[in-house]
Short mmCIF file of all heavy atoms in Angstrom, two decimals:
data_model
loop_
_atom_site.label_atom_id
_atom_site.label_comp_id
_atom_site.label_asym_id
_atom_site.label_seq_id
_atom_site.Cartn_x
_atom_site.Cartn_y
_atom_site.Cartn_z
N GLN G 1 192.47 150.45 103.60
CA GLN G 1 192.29 151.91 103.55
C GLN G 1 193.12 152.54 102.44
O GLN G 1 193.55 153.69 102.55
CB GLN G 1 192.65 152.53 104.90
CG GLN G 1 191.92 151.92 106.09
CD GLN G 1 192.53 152.34 107.41
OE1 GLN G 1 193.04 153.45 107.55
NE2 GLN G 1 192.50 151.45 108.39
N GLY G 2 193.37 151.75 101.40
CA GLY G 2 194.18 152.27 100.30
C GLY G 2 195.65 152.43 100.66
O GLY G 2 196.38 153.14 99.97
N GLN G 3 196.09 151.73 101.72
CA GLN G 3 197.46 151.87 102.22
C GLN G 3 198.11 150.51 102.38
O GLN G 3 197.44 149.48 102.50
CB GLN G 3 197.48 152.58 103.57
CG GLN G 3 196.89 153.97 103.57
CD GLN G 3 196.85 154.56 104.98
OE1 GLN G 3 196.79 153.83 105.98
NE2 GLN G 3 196.87 155.87 105.07
N LEU G 4 199.43 150.52 102.40
CA LEU G 4 200.22 149.35 102.77
C LEU G 4 200.49 149.42 104.26
O LEU G 4 200.95 150.43 104.78
CB LEU G 4 201.54 149.33 101.99
CG LEU G 4 201.41 149.06 100.49
CD1 LEU G 4 202.68 149.50 99.76
CD2 LEU G 4 201.13 147.59 100.22
N TYR G 5 200.15 148.35 104.97
CA TYR G 5 200.33 148.25 106.42
C TYR G 5 199.78 149.48 107.16
O TYR G 5 200.54 150.26 107.76
CB TYR G 5 201.80 148.02 106.76
CG TYR G 5 202.31 146.69 106.26
CD1 TYR G 5 203.06 146.60 105.08
CD2 TYR G 5 202.03 145.51 106.93
CE1 TYR G 5 203.52 145.36 104.60
CE2 TYR G 5 202.47 144.28 106.46
CZ TYR G 5 203.21 144.22 105.30
OH TYR G 5 203.64 143.00 104.83
N PRO G 6 198.48 149.68 107.10
CA PRO G 6 197.89 150.86 107.74
C PRO G 6 198.12 150.94 109.24
O PRO G 6 198.05 152.03 109.82
CB PRO G 6 196.39 150.73 107.42
CG PRO G 6 196.18 149.29 107.06
CD PRO G 6 197.46 148.84 106.44
N GLN G 7 198.42 149.81 109.91
CA GLN G 7 198.63 149.84 111.36
C GLN G 7 200.11 149.93 111.74
O GLN G 7 200.46 149.79 112.92
CB GLN G 7 198.02 148.59 112.00
CG GLN G 7 196.50 148.54 111.92
CD GLN G 7 195.91 147.45 112.82
OE1 GLN G 7 196.51 147.05 113.81
NE2 GLN G 7 194.73 146.97 112.47
N ALA G 8 200.97 150.16 110.77
CA ALA G 8 202.41 150.14 111.04
C ALA G 8 202.82 151.11 112.15
O ALA G 8 203.54 150.74 113.08
CB ALA G 8 203.19 150.44 109.76
N ALA G 9 202.39 152.34 112.06
CA ALA G 9 202.81 153.34 113.05
C ALA G 9 202.27 153.02 114.43
O ALA G 9 202.98 153.16 115.44
CB ALA G 9 202.36 154.73 112.61
N ALA G 10 201.01 152.56 114.50
CA ALA G 10 200.41 152.24 115.79
C ALA G 10 201.10 151.03 116.43
O ALA G 10 201.33 151.00 117.65
CB ALA G 10 198.91 151.96 115.62
N ARG G 11 201.44 150.05 115.62
CA ARG G 11 202.11 148.87 116.16
C ARG G 11 203.55 149.20 116.58
O ARG G 11 204.05 148.64 117.55
CB ARG G 11 202.08 147.73 115.14
CG ARG G 11 200.70 147.10 115.06
CD ARG G 11 200.65 145.85 114.23
NE ARG G 11 199.43 145.12 114.56
CZ ARG G 11 199.39 143.89 115.05
NH1 ARG G 11 200.50 143.24 115.30
NH2 ARG G 11 198.24 143.31 115.32
N MET G 12 204.18 150.11 115.86
CA MET G 12 205.52 150.52 116.29
C MET G 12 205.43 151.28 117.62
O MET G 12 206.33 151.16 118.46
CB MET G 12 206.17 151.40 115.22
CG MET G 12 207.61 151.77 115.53
SD MET G 12 208.67 150.32 115.84
CE MET G 12 208.79 149.66 114.18
N GLU G 13 204.37 152.03 117.81
CA GLU G 13 204.17 152.71 119.09
C GLU G 13 204.05 151.69 120.22
O GLU G 13 204.56 151.90 121.32
CB GLU G 13 202.92 153.59 119.03
CG GLU G 13 202.57 154.27 120.36
CD GLU G 13 203.69 155.15 120.89
OE1 GLU G 13 204.45 155.72 120.08
OE2 GLU G 13 203.80 155.27 122.13
N ALA G 14 203.41 150.55 119.93
CA ALA G 14 203.30 149.49 120.94
C ALA G 14 204.68 148.95 121.30
O ALA G 14 204.97 148.69 122.47
CB ALA G 14 202.39 148.37 120.43
N PHE G 15 205.53 148.79 120.28
CA PHE G 15 206.90 148.34 120.56
C PHE G 15 207.62 149.35 121.45
O PHE G 15 208.38 148.97 122.35
CB PHE G 15 207.68 148.15 119.26
CG PHE G 15 207.48 146.81 118.61
CD1 PHE G 15 206.76 146.68 117.43
CD2 PHE G 15 208.02 145.67 119.18
CE1 PHE G 15 206.58 145.43 116.85
CE2 PHE G 15 207.84 144.42 118.61
CZ PHE G 15 207.13 144.31 117.43
N ARG G 16 207.40 150.61 121.21
CA ARG G 16 208.08 151.64 122.01
C ARG G 16 207.55 151.64 123.43
O ARG G 16 208.28 152.02 124.36
CB ARG G 16 207.91 153.00 121.34
CG ARG G 16 208.47 153.04 119.92
CD ARG G 16 208.69 154.44 119.41
NE ARG G 16 209.92 154.99 119.97
CZ ARG G 16 210.57 156.03 119.43
NH1 ARG G 16 210.12 156.59 118.33
NH2 ARG G 16 211.67 156.49 119.97
N GLN G 17 206.33 151.21 123.61
CA GLN G 17 205.81 151.09 124.98
C GLN G 17 206.37 149.86 125.68
O GLN G 17 206.59 149.87 126.88
CB GLN G 17 204.28 151.03 124.93
CG GLN G 17 203.61 152.32 124.50
CD GLN G 17 202.10 152.19 124.43
OE1 GLN G 17 201.50 151.38 125.13
NE2 GLN G 17 201.47 152.99 123.59
N ILE G 18 206.59 148.80 124.90
CA ILE G 18 207.20 147.59 125.48
C ILE G 18 208.63 147.87 125.91
O ILE G 18 209.08 147.42 126.97
CB ILE G 18 207.17 146.43 124.47
CG1 ILE G 18 205.73 146.05 124.13
CG2 ILE G 18 207.92 145.21 125.03
CD1 ILE G 18 205.62 145.07 122.97
N PHE G 19 209.35 148.63 125.07
CA PHE G 19 210.76 148.95 125.33
C PHE G 19 210.91 150.46 125.49
O PHE G 19 211.54 151.14 124.66
CB PHE G 19 211.64 148.45 124.19
CG PHE G 19 211.56 146.97 123.94
CD1 PHE G 19 210.77 146.45 122.91
CD2 PHE G 19 212.27 146.07 124.73
CE1 PHE G 19 210.69 145.08 122.68
CE2 PHE G 19 212.21 144.70 124.50
CZ PHE G 19 211.41 144.21 123.48
N PRO G 20 210.34 151.03 126.55
CA PRO G 20 210.23 152.49 126.67
C PRO G 20 211.56 153.24 126.78
O PRO G 20 211.64 154.40 126.37
CB PRO G 20 209.38 152.68 127.93
CG PRO G 20 209.64 151.44 128.74
CD PRO G 20 209.78 150.35 127.73
N ASN G 21 212.56 152.62 127.34
CA ASN G 21 213.83 153.32 127.54
C ASN G 21 214.94 152.78 126.65
O ASN G 21 216.12 153.09 126.87
CB ASN G 21 214.24 153.21 129.01
CG ASN G 21 213.22 153.85 129.94
OD1 ASN G 21 212.77 154.97 129.70
ND2 ASN G 21 212.83 153.14 130.99
N ASP G 22 214.56 151.98 125.68
CA ASP G 22 215.54 151.41 124.75
C ASP G 22 215.50 152.15 123.42
O ASP G 22 214.52 152.83 123.10
CB ASP G 22 215.25 149.92 124.53
CG ASP G 22 215.31 149.12 125.83
OD1 ASP G 22 216.36 149.14 126.47
OD2 ASP G 22 214.28 148.51 126.19
N GLU G 23 216.54 151.99 122.64
CA GLU G 23 216.60 152.62 121.31
C GLU G 23 216.15 151.60 120.27
O GLU G 23 216.83 150.62 120.01
CB GLU G 23 218.03 153.07 120.99
CG GLU G 23 218.15 153.70 119.59
CD GLU G 23 219.58 154.03 119.22
OE1 GLU G 23 220.38 154.32 120.14
OE2 GLU G 23 219.90 153.99 118.02
N ILE G 24 214.99 151.85 119.69
CA ILE G 24 214.45 150.92 118.70
C ILE G 24 214.93 151.31 117.30
O ILE G 24 214.89 152.48 116.92
CB ILE G 24 212.92 150.90 118.75
CG1 ILE G 24 212.45 150.28 120.07
CG2 ILE G 24 212.33 150.12 117.56
CD1 ILE G 24 210.95 150.17 120.20
N GLU G 25 215.38 150.31 116.56
CA GLU G 25 215.76 150.49 115.16
C GLU G 25 214.83 149.64 114.30
O GLU G 25 214.54 148.49 114.63
CB GLU G 25 217.22 150.07 114.93
CG GLU G 25 218.23 150.88 115.71
CD GLU G 25 219.66 150.45 115.39
OE1 GLU G 25 219.87 149.85 114.32
OE2 GLU G 25 220.54 150.71 116.22
N PHE G 26 214.38 150.21 113.20
CA PHE G 26 213.41 149.54 112.33
C PHE G 26 214.08 149.10 111.03
O PHE G 26 214.78 149.88 110.38
CB PHE G 26 212.26 150.50 112.03
CG PHE G 26 211.27 150.00 111.02
CD1 PHE G 26 210.56 148.83 111.24
CD2 PHE G 26 211.05 150.69 109.85
CE1 PHE G 26 209.65 148.37 110.31
CE2 PHE G 26 210.13 150.24 108.91
CZ PHE G 26 209.43 149.08 109.14
N PHE G 27 213.86 147.83 110.65
CA PHE G 27 214.39 147.28 109.41
C PHE G 27 213.25 146.68 108.61
O PHE G 27 212.42 145.94 109.16
CB PHE G 27 215.43 146.19 109.70
CG PHE G 27 216.78 146.69 110.13
CD1 PHE G 27 216.95 147.25 111.39
CD2 PHE G 27 217.88 146.60 109.29
CE1 PHE G 27 218.19 147.72 111.79
CE2 PHE G 27 219.12 147.04 109.68
CZ PHE G 27 219.29 147.61 110.94
N VAL G 28 213.20 146.96 107.30
CA VAL G 28 212.17 146.36 106.47
C VAL G 28 212.64 146.28 105.02
O VAL G 28 213.31 147.18 104.52
CB VAL G 28 210.84 147.16 106.55
CG1 VAL G 28 210.97 148.52 105.89
CG2 VAL G 28 209.69 146.37 105.93
N GLY G 29 212.31 145.17 104.38
CA GLY G 29 212.56 145.00 102.96
C GLY G 29 211.26 145.22 102.19
O GLY G 29 210.22 144.66 102.54
N LEU G 30 211.30 146.04 101.15
CA LEU G 30 210.12 146.33 100.34
C LEU G 30 210.03 145.35 99.17
O LEU G 30 211.01 144.69 98.82
CB LEU G 30 210.19 147.76 99.80
CG LEU G 30 210.53 148.86 100.82
CD1 LEU G 30 210.53 150.22 100.14
CD2 LEU G 30 209.57 148.83 102.00
N ARG G 31 208.86 145.28 98.55
CA ARG G 31 208.69 144.41 97.40
C ARG G 31 207.74 145.06 96.40
O ARG G 31 206.78 145.73 96.77
CB ARG G 31 208.13 143.04 97.84
CG ARG G 31 207.95 142.05 96.69
CD ARG G 31 207.64 140.65 97.20
NE ARG G 31 207.36 139.74 96.09
CZ ARG G 31 207.16 138.44 96.21
NH1 ARG G 31 207.23 137.87 97.41
NH2 ARG G 31 206.90 137.69 95.15
N ASN G 32 208.04 144.85 95.14
CA ASN G 32 207.23 145.38 94.06
C ASN G 32 205.77 144.92 94.23
O ASN G 32 205.51 143.71 94.26
CB ASN G 32 207.79 144.88 92.73
CG ASN G 32 207.08 145.46 91.52
OD1 ASN G 32 206.03 146.08 91.63
ND2 ASN G 32 207.65 145.25 90.35
N PRO G 33 204.81 145.85 94.32
CA PRO G 33 203.41 145.44 94.45
C PRO G 33 202.93 144.51 93.34
O PRO G 33 202.00 143.73 93.55
CB PRO G 33 202.66 146.78 94.40
CG PRO G 33 203.63 147.76 94.99
CD PRO G 33 204.98 147.30 94.47
N ALA G 34 203.57 144.57 92.18
CA ALA G 34 203.19 143.70 91.07
C ALA G 34 203.35 142.23 91.43
O ALA G 34 202.63 141.37 90.94
CB ALA G 34 204.02 144.02 89.82
N SER G 35 204.30 141.92 92.31
CA SER G 35 204.48 140.54 92.79
C SER G 35 204.07 140.39 94.24
O SER G 35 203.71 139.29 94.68
CB SER G 35 205.94 140.10 92.61
OG SER G 35 206.81 140.85 93.44
N PHE G 36 204.08 141.48 95.00
CA PHE G 36 203.72 141.44 96.42
C PHE G 36 202.25 141.08 96.61
O PHE G 36 201.91 140.17 97.39
CB PHE G 36 204.02 142.80 97.06
CG PHE G 36 203.67 142.91 98.52
CD1 PHE G 36 204.29 142.11 99.47
CD2 PHE G 36 202.72 143.82 98.96
CE1 PHE G 36 203.98 142.20 100.82
CE2 PHE G 36 202.39 143.93 100.30
CZ PHE G 36 203.02 143.12 101.23
N PHE G 37 201.38 141.76 95.91
CA PHE G 37 199.96 141.49 96.06
C PHE G 37 199.59 140.06 95.67
O PHE G 37 198.87 139.38 96.41
CB PHE G 37 199.13 142.50 95.25
CG PHE G 37 199.19 143.91 95.79
CD1 PHE G 37 199.07 145.00 94.95
CD2 PHE G 37 199.38 144.15 97.14
CE1 PHE G 37 199.11 146.30 95.44
CE2 PHE G 37 199.43 145.44 97.65
CZ PHE G 37 199.29 146.52 96.80
N PRO G 38 200.04 139.56 94.51
CA PRO G 38 199.73 138.16 94.18
C PRO G 38 200.31 137.16 95.18
O PRO G 38 199.73 136.09 95.39
CB PRO G 38 200.37 137.98 92.79
CG PRO G 38 200.42 139.34 92.21
CD PRO G 38 200.70 140.24 93.38
N ALA G 39 201.45 137.51 95.81
CA ALA G 39 202.07 136.59 96.76
C ALA G 39 201.29 136.49 98.06
O ALA G 39 201.19 135.41 98.66
CB ALA G 39 203.51 137.03 97.05
N ILE G 40 200.72 137.60 98.53
CA ILE G 40 200.00 137.56 99.80
C ILE G 40 198.54 137.15 99.65
O ILE G 40 197.93 136.69 100.62
CB ILE G 40 200.09 138.91 100.56
CG1 ILE G 40 199.36 140.02 99.80
CG2 ILE G 40 201.53 139.28 100.86
CD1 ILE G 40 199.27 141.33 100.58
N LEU G 41 197.97 137.30 98.45
CA LEU G 41 196.55 137.00 98.26
C LEU G 41 196.16 135.60 98.76
O LEU G 41 195.17 135.46 99.48
CB LEU G 41 196.18 137.17 96.79
CG LEU G 41 194.72 136.83 96.43
CD1 LEU G 41 193.75 137.73 97.21
CD2 LEU G 41 194.49 136.97 94.92
N PRO G 42 196.91 134.53 98.41
CA PRO G 42 196.52 133.19 98.88
C PRO G 42 196.59 133.03 100.39
O PRO G 42 196.01 132.06 100.94
CB PRO G 42 197.53 132.26 98.19
CG PRO G 42 198.06 133.04 97.03
CD PRO G 42 198.08 134.46 97.50
N LYS G 43 197.28 133.93 101.07
CA LYS G 43 197.42 133.85 102.52
C LYS G 43 196.31 134.63 103.23
O LYS G 43 196.31 134.74 104.46
CB LYS G 43 198.78 134.40 102.96
CG LYS G 43 199.96 133.80 102.24
CD LYS G 43 200.19 132.36 102.63
CE LYS G 43 201.46 131.81 101.98
NZ LYS G 43 201.69 130.40 102.36
N THR G 44 195.37 135.18 102.47
CA THR G 44 194.28 135.96 103.03
C THR G 44 192.95 135.24 102.77
O THR G 44 192.89 134.32 101.97
CB THR G 44 194.22 137.36 102.39
OG1 THR G 44 193.69 137.25 101.06
CG2 THR G 44 195.60 138.01 102.34
N PRO G 45 191.87 135.70 103.41
CA PRO G 45 190.57 135.08 103.16
C PRO G 45 189.87 135.63 101.92
O PRO G 45 188.75 135.19 101.59
CB PRO G 45 189.78 135.43 104.43
CG PRO G 45 190.36 136.72 104.88
CD PRO G 45 191.82 136.64 104.54
N TYR G 46 190.52 136.57 101.23
CA TYR G 46 189.87 137.19 100.08
C TYR G 46 189.83 136.26 98.87
O TYR G 46 190.73 135.45 98.65
CB TYR G 46 190.59 138.49 99.71
CG TYR G 46 190.59 139.50 100.83
CD1 TYR G 46 191.76 139.85 101.51
CD2 TYR G 46 189.40 140.11 101.24
CE1 TYR G 46 191.75 140.76 102.55
CE2 TYR G 46 189.37 141.02 102.29
CZ TYR G 46 190.56 141.35 102.93
OH TYR G 46 190.54 142.25 103.96
#
């Protein structure tokens, strides 16, 4: 959909449902799309 990880927010909502009364902290490392896209391409069916 022209986005990076389009399901990120929905999947984080699932985590909050799994741990409804806990404090969730989110950690993520970003990567330059110039190398990110070529790195993930072989791992996809495209």
